[in-house]
Amino acid sequence: MSDRLTRLLGGEELAWLVDRARTRLERGKPLTGSVSLAGATHGQRRAVETLLGRRAGSGASLSVSLEEVDRVLRASGACDGLAQAVAVLRGPIRDLTALAADRDTAWRTAFAALDTHLADRKALDGRVADRQDLGGRVADRQALAGWRGWLDSSGLVRRLAPEPADAGSLLDRLVAVLARLPSTGVPIGRLAAETCGDAHALDDGRPVATLALSAARALAGLPYAAEGGADARRAAWAAVGVHLDELSSLVLSLGLPGDPTPGEPHVRTLRQLRRAEPINAGLVRLCENPVVVAAAADDLGAACPPLVCVNGRPSAAVWRLLDLLAAGGSSFAYHGDFDWGGVAIAAAVHERVGFTPWRYDAASYQRAASAAPLAGRAVPTPWDPPLSEAMRRRAVRVEEELVLSDLLSDLAPL
């Protein structure tokens, strides 16, 4: 049967016909109707004519009835029909529908631990009214729901681990990392070792690091896709309490207890702060930009009250200093740029340690002169809800430099 079948249907000129029939069978479709081949060669036409025992027509495309081929094969005794012929010539027929279903199941299994973890975190959010009880996280953990959808739409996991089994192992390690975020301050190597069993698992470019960094950005309210550069990576990790090293993470202050030179700005490293005791500095003013600290040092010197600069997205050192101040009984007053990025930074600080606004409310915003356009997505301002709406309506941004004289007058002793 095999030799006769090979002579009838096994030639190169009829390979397209066998392949079309195989595709139909693998998709669970019957071998009925016709299949067509555009631009058929003379040899392909002659092969069909030889198989069917008649002319194959002269149109632009070559059309063949599958039922007719089936009848010819049965009548020749070469095999028990076209379906059997395809199996003999091409091997066992796969059930693509079943294989796809099995693969879908395998992928759901791979994501099961992550989805369970996110569901548990969301449920915990619903039961706990005081967000500080959850470790002062940077952003509501429900932000991870959008990130989870982005993982699917971007195909990031499947690019990093094309096979479900490998993806499952990768996502299991990711879940172990997420269970520790946000942190109150942990070295990234230690986090990697304790969650992944590999101190370098969260190094830049490693698969679990790529996923974990995107989740950290989600928790911090940043775009999920990582920006280029070490500074952006360091800032994203710092926003969830993870530091890349203890010496490069810094915080700038002026007038705090223990500053070595009164009246001069002082830079503390995270390493120093990790060994420090809680600090009671009374009311501590917080600003977003270093220019405020520099101007206060120039104009007020040692007379400047306690002032800390968060310097954009707070570093691990900034968070550590704020935690030490809060633990010591200090209170905070905050000012930052009136733009949506500045508001997001302020929201993170407000959620973690709380503050009263320092010329950082709707009334102050309306008084500030500026013509710079405000771009970006609106962010809530829980310390002064009307501020967000005022910024949305007025649509101008006001940087701290534009109100520097007002801030310095507040800092000046009476």
Side-chain angles (χ1 to χ4, degrees):
M1 178 177 69
S2 179
D3 290 342
R4 185 183 303 176
L5 178 60
T6 300
R7 288 195 299 271
L8 282 172
L9 198 59
E12 182 179 347
E13 293 82 2
L14 294 177
W16 69 274
L17 176 60
V18 178
D19 291 339
R20 298 284 182 87
R22 179 182 176 86
T23 298
R24 288 200 178 193
L25 290 171
E26 290 182 332
R27 292 177 178 174
K29 296 181 179 180
L31 295 179
T32 58
S34 298
V35 292
S36 298
L37 178 66
T41 66
H42 176 72
Q44 288 170 326
R45 288 183 179 276
R46 288 294 303 273
V48 168
E49 291 173 351
T50 299
L51 173 65
L52 300 180
R54 63 172 179 79
R55 292 196 61 188
S58 57
S61 64
L62 176 60
S63 184
V64 178
S65 166
L66 295 177
E67 289 99 333
E68 185 177 1
V69 173
D70 184 77
R71 287 195 299 271
V72 167
L73 292 173
R74 291 176 186 275
S76 71
C79 64
D80 190 15
L82 180 55
Q84 186 184 53
V86 171
V88 170
L89 294 172
R90 293 290 189 270
I93 303 300
R94 299 172 300 167
D95 186 341
L96 293 183
T97 301
L99 289 174
D102 290 344
R103 192 164 180 82
D104 286 344
T105 299
W107 275 109
R108 285 195 298 272
T109 301
F111 276 92
L114 176 61
D115 290 334
T116 299
H117 175 75
L118 296 181
D120 290 345
R121 292 180 77 149
K122 186 175 181 180
L124 182 60
D125 278 353
R127 294 195 300 269
V128 179
D130 184 358
R131 299 302 187 193
Q132 293 301 110
D133 288 347
L134 293 179
R137 62 172 168 264
V138 176
D140 193 327
R141 288 172 176 174
Q142 292 186 14
L144 289 175
W147 166 80
R148 173 64 181 88
W150 174 80
L151 286 184
D152 283 341
S153 63
S154 68
L156 178 59
V157 173
R158 296 186 187 223
R159 291 200 304 274
L160 294 171
E163 293 302 318
D166 295 333
S169 176
L170 174 61
L171 292 170
D172 286 347
R173 283 175 283 154
L174 175 64
V175 167
V177 175
L178 289 181
R180 297 280 297 276
L181 299 181
S183 169
T184 56
V186 61
I188 195 166
R190 178 178 175 182
L191 177 64
E194 293 177 352
T195 57
C196 303
D198 176 359
H200 296 285
L202 296 176
D203 287 357
D204 191 26
R206 296 284 292 271
V208 69
T210 300
L211 295 174
L213 181 59
S214 68
R217 295 178 64 82
L219 285 170
L222 298 169
Y224 308 138
E227 300 174 3
D231 288 343
R233 177 172 173 259
R234 180 179 290 107
W237 278 118
V240 292
V242 179
H243 59 88
L244 273 59
D245 62 77
E246 294 181 320
L247 297 178
S248 63
S249 184
L250 310 172
V251 57
L252 175 67
S253 66
L254 177 65
L256 288 184
D259 282 358
T261 305
E264 285 297 320
H266 181 55
V267 175
R268 291 172 170 84
T269 67
L270 179 60
R271 181 178 178 84
Q272 292 170 318
L273 292 168
R274 285 175 62 83
R275 293 157 174 77
E277 298 293 328
I279 306 168
N280 188 346
L283 176 64
V284 179
R285 303 273 186 171
L286 306 178
C287 62
E288 183 179 340
N289 299 287
V291 66
V292 180
V293 177
D298 289 341
D299 288 11
L300 305 174
C304 183
L307 177 64
V308 173
C309 177
V310 303
N311 198 15
R313 290 277 172 183
S315 66
V318 171
W319 288 128
R320 176 61 178 167
L321 178 57
L322 295 185
D323 288 344
L324 289 171
L325 288 165
S330 303
S331 58
F332 303 97
Y334 187 93
H335 188 276
D337 291 334
F338 286 109
D339 58 28
W340 297 125
V343 167
I345 293 167
V349 175
H350 185 266
E351 183 175 18
R352 183 145 179 166
V353 298
F355 62 71
T356 57
W358 172 26
R359 294 184 183 266
Y360 203 58
D361 51 23
S364 301
Y365 172 71
Q366 297 284 20
R367 288 194 299 268
S370 176
L374 176 66
R377 182 179 299 177
V379 178
T381 52
W383 61 91
D384 184 56
L387 172 59
S388 181
E389 178 60 21
M391 291 175 63
R392 189 188 64 79
R393 289 198 312 268
R394 188 182 177 197
V396 299
R397 73 175 189 272
V398 182
E399 296 172 338
E400 277 191 312
E401 290 85 345
L402 297 178
V403 295
L404 186 56
S405 59
D406 291 333
L407 300 179
L408 295 175
S409 68
D410 293 340
L411 295 170
L414 299 176

